[in-house]
Amino acid sequence: MNIGVFCTVTTFVSAILLILLILLQQRGASLGAGLNGSGELYTERRGLEKTMFNVTVVIAVIFCVSILSMIIFG
């Protein structure tokens, strides 16, 4: 398998996963919290929400590395 094909597939798969994970995450603060409404702006993530956040960060790093490797290796 060519390194360019591997980088392309990795970029495509990580992009799809990143989109899905971002859309699945819950919003911690509503719009009213940003406009002096009630609600906490900084909340602590627990359980599944924390796991999804950590997986999202890992997938984002994989996505960035795959794009950089596509640039370097062509």
Side-chain angles (χ1 to χ4, degrees):
M1 185 181 213
N2 190 2
I3 189 78
V5 174
F6 178 74
C7 293
T8 304
V9 170
T10 304
T11 303
F12 181 74
V13 171
S14 62
I16 298 297
L17 287 174
L18 192 59
I19 290 169
L20 290 175
L21 284 170
I22 288 173
L23 290 176
L24 285 175
Q25 289 183 14
Q26 295 179 354
R27 301 280 183 230
S30 63
L31 182 61
L35 302 173
N36 292 332
S38 64
E40 293 191 24
L41 187 57
Y42 300 108
T43 58
E44 185 176 341
R45 292 179 174 92
R46 294 184 177 159
L48 181 62
E49 185 179 356
K50 184 176 183 178
T51 304
M52 281 181 54
F53 176 75
N54 290 335
V55 170
T56 304
V57 170
V58 169
I59 296 293
V61 169
I62 291 171
F63 179 73
C64 292
V65 168
S66 67
I67 288 190
L68 287 175
S69 63
M70 282 178 58
I71 293 171
I72 292 171
F73 296 116

